[in-house]
Amino acid sequence: MVHPAHRRAGHGRNLLTNLAGQGAAAVWAHGDLPAARALAASVGWEPVRILRKLSRPLAEEDSAPVTMPEGYGIRGFVPGQDEADWLRINALAFADHPEQGRVTRNDLDRLIAQDWFDPAGLLLLTDASGAVIGSHWTKVDPAERAPAADGSPVPAGEVYVVALDPAVHGRGLAAPLTAAGLAHLAARGLRSVVLYVDDDNTAALRTYRRLGFTDLEVHAQYAPVSAARPA
């Protein structure tokens, strides 16, 4: 970061050049503003990851119970019982994700210990045998704000993690699983919801767009061209 009074004096370029010299593999540009893009390009860095923050107003009708396809059900997470199943599904669903796919039992225990954790807000998708095949983890951060239907900023819930076993992809489960989490948040009285999704996760983006989510913020990760395009 560079103080506004000291911009356009080469400080940003010096910082980025020094980071590269010390072996930094990548940097984030929060908001991915034109100035950040120009700075990255000037030192030969280019975007390697685009992270979108989407939002959607919640209405009273969103709190209606969601009907799952026949043979599938939704239940809440039970601490002390469901950790292994959640970790298994999460690892399968995010096998190629740079962060989410590496969540360990210790990581999960730390998340469960957070003040915002609500087991009723961690929804598990089950098949006819009762086996866990997916999950929708919702989150309510008291500091989170997003536009309501009238455009005013209001407290917002979050679609924290949606995970689905790849073995059941293509069965029309992603949309109702996501909607079930929205219903939970709406039933809590929240009027808006946010989520983060990688731009190259086209299947998830299609689901979220169909459910009415639009861009709130766009963030980009930049890396040297040589790292972004290996020979």
Side-chain angles (χ1 to χ4, degrees), residues 29-214:
H30 295 289
D32 194 26
L33 301 174
R37 292 196 293 269
L39 172 61
S42 73
V43 296
W45 289 40
E46 64 179 30
V48 293
R49 183 181 176 193
I50 303 296
L51 183 66
R52 295 182 181 274
K53 183 178 184 179
L54 310 183
S55 72
R56 173 192 186 282
L58 290 174
E60 185 177 347
E61 54 265 29
D62 287 310
S63 63
V66 175
T67 301
M68 300 300 297
E70 185 175 357
Y72 299 96
I74 292 282
R75 67 172 177 84
F77 179 88
V78 179
Q81 170 185 302
D82 292 322
E83 286 84 352
D85 279 334
W86 186 89
L87 286 166
R88 173 178 56 82
I89 294 300
N90 186 75
L92 288 170
F94 295 100
D96 298 323
H97 194 278
E99 297 140 7
Q100 189 62 32
R102 299 190 179 100
V103 175
T104 66
R105 175 60 189 266
N106 286 339
D107 295 329
L108 178 58
D109 288 343
R110 283 194 291 271
L111 289 168
I112 289 174
Q114 298 298 307
D115 290 341
W116 55 260
F117 177 71
D118 175 13
L122 176 41
L123 308 177
L124 300 181
L125 174 65
T126 58
D127 63 14
S129 71
V132 176
I133 58 170
S135 72
H136 182 168
W137 193 341
T138 67
K139 176 181 178 180
V140 180
D141 180 344
E144 187 68 68
R145 295 291 185 276
D150 61 3
S152 62
V154 295
E158 181 180 344
V159 174
Y160 186 48
V161 186
V162 177
L164 196 61
D165 188 334
V168 297
H169 284 182
R171 301 186 187 180
L173 297 170
L177 176 58
T178 304
L182 301 185
H184 171 79
L185 293 171
R188 289 191 55 170
L190 292 160
R191 296 169 53 204
S192 190
V193 60
V194 301
L195 62 85
Y196 292 86
V197 61
D198 279 286
D199 194 60
D200 61 0
N201 191 345
T202 54
L205 266 173
R206 281 197 302 269
T207 295
Y208 297 140
R209 298 294 192 202
R210 285 198 301 267
L211 289 169
F213 283 89
T214 58

